[in-house]
């Protein structure tokens, strides 16, 4: 199964859940997964805002943030949506904002499998999955809220965690894990 790139991303202001920036896919998914009027107002619904506050506190305490998976709004049938919280460079996304990456459940399960099988932190598994989807450097930087130097540092840390020399070798390791699934 060919993974997609980071499917969608948005920045969210921690104080009130305002979605300050959303990719086109994130806007489409918020319309499907967030109840009215939250998608139209570009705000997290109360349950997701509570999740963001809890996970932001966990991150500040040094723990890894836990993802959340939600069903389509109103009981509609379809895949679930997984959201994960990430820190990004404040000068790129704004002070007091968090980066939220979104995947449909099947992709989220693949990211989790990569993390477990390769003993990666969730953010490293997200980065590996994005690289496996064929995203170019500019797409990765935009999706992950990173500068060129920030992306280079994260890729180097990923390669070190996997014991490989290049991102191409990291992608090959990730592909091998997903082929075994």
């Amino acid at each position: 199964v060919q993974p997609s790139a980071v499917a969608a991303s948005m920045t969210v202001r921690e104080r009130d859940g305002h979605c300050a920036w959303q990719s086109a896919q994130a806007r489409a998914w918020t319309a499907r997964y967030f109840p009215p009027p939250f998608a139209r107002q570009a705000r997290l619904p109360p349950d997701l805002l509570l999740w963001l506050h809890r996970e932001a506190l966990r991150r500040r305490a040094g723990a890894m943030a836990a993802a959340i998976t939600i069903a389509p709004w109103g009981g509609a049938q379809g895949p679930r949506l997984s959201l994960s919280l990430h820190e990004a460079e404040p000068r790129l996304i704004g002070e007091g904002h968090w980066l939220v990456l979104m995947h449909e459940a099947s992709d989220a399960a693949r990211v989790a499998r990569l993390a477990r099988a390769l003993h990666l932190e969730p953010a490293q598994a997200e980065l590996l999955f994005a690289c496996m989807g064929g995203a170019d450097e500019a797409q990765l930087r935009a999706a992950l809220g990173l500068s060129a130097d920030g992306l280079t540092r994260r890729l180097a840390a990923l390669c070190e965690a996997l014991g490989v020399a290049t991102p191409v070798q990291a992608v090959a390791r990730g592909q091998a894990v997903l082929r075994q699934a």
Side-chain angles (χ1 to χ4, degrees), residues 60-91:
R60 286 188 194 97
M64 295 305 303
I68 189 169
T69 301
I70 59 175
W73 179 78
Q77 295 300 309
R80 293 177 172 266
L81 185 68
S82 180
L83 292 87
S84 58
L85 188 67
H86 296 269
E87 291 180 89
E89 296 177 29
R91 67 181 179 83

Side-chain angles (χ1 to χ4, degrees), residues 118-120 124 128 155-171 173:
L118 297 171
H119 308 288
L120 298 174
Q124 291 173 321
L128 177 58
L155 286 171
L158 173 63
C159 289
E160 183 178 327
L162 292 173
V164 298
T166 68
V168 171
Q169 292 171 328
V171 166
R173 293 239 1 238

Side-chain angles (χ1 to χ4, degrees), residues 6 15 27 31 35 58-59 63-64 90 97-98 107 121 126 130 132:
V6 171
R15 146 173 77 85
R27 281 190 301 278
R58 288 173 46 82
R59 291 296 298 249
M64 295 305 303
H97 288 79
W98 289 89
D107 283 349
E121 294 178 8
E126 292 266 4
M132 290 169 61

Side-chain angles (χ1 to χ4, degrees), residues 11-142:
T11 60
V12 180
R13 191 168 49 215
E14 183 177 356
R15 146 173 77 85
D16 61 3
H18 178 260
C19 303
W21 176 88
Q22 298 176 312
S23 66
Q25 184 64 55
R27 281 190 301 278
W29 279 342
T30 57
R32 178 170 183 191
Y33 290 90
F34 292 10
F38 298 101
R40 191 174 56 259
Q41 294 175 352
R43 293 208 182 288
L44 291 182
D47 53 339
L48 290 179
L49 183 56
L50 184 62
W51 163 80
L52 178 112
H53 287 153
R54 183 185 68 230
E55 298 311 318
L57 286 172
R58 288 173 46 82
R59 291 296 298 249
R60 286 188 194 97
M64 295 305 303
I68 189 169
T69 301
I70 59 175
W73 179 78
Q77 295 300 309
R80 293 177 172 266
L81 185 68
S82 180
L83 292 87
S84 58
L85 188 67
H86 296 269
E87 291 180 89
E89 296 177 29
R91 67 181 179 83
L92 295 176
I93 69 168
E95 199 67 42
H97 288 79
W98 289 89
L99 180 68
V100 175
L101 298 181
M102 307 162 91
H103 293 281
E104 285 198 311
S106 59
D107 283 349
R110 291 182 191 114
V111 171
R113 178 163 176 70
L114 289 171
R116 279 190 314 274
L118 297 171
H119 308 288
L120 298 174
E121 294 178 8
Q124 291 173 321
E126 292 266 4
L127 176 58
L128 177 58
F129 189 74
C131 291
M132 290 169 61
D136 66 25
E137 184 178 326
Q139 291 169 320
L140 286 173
R141 284 196 327 262

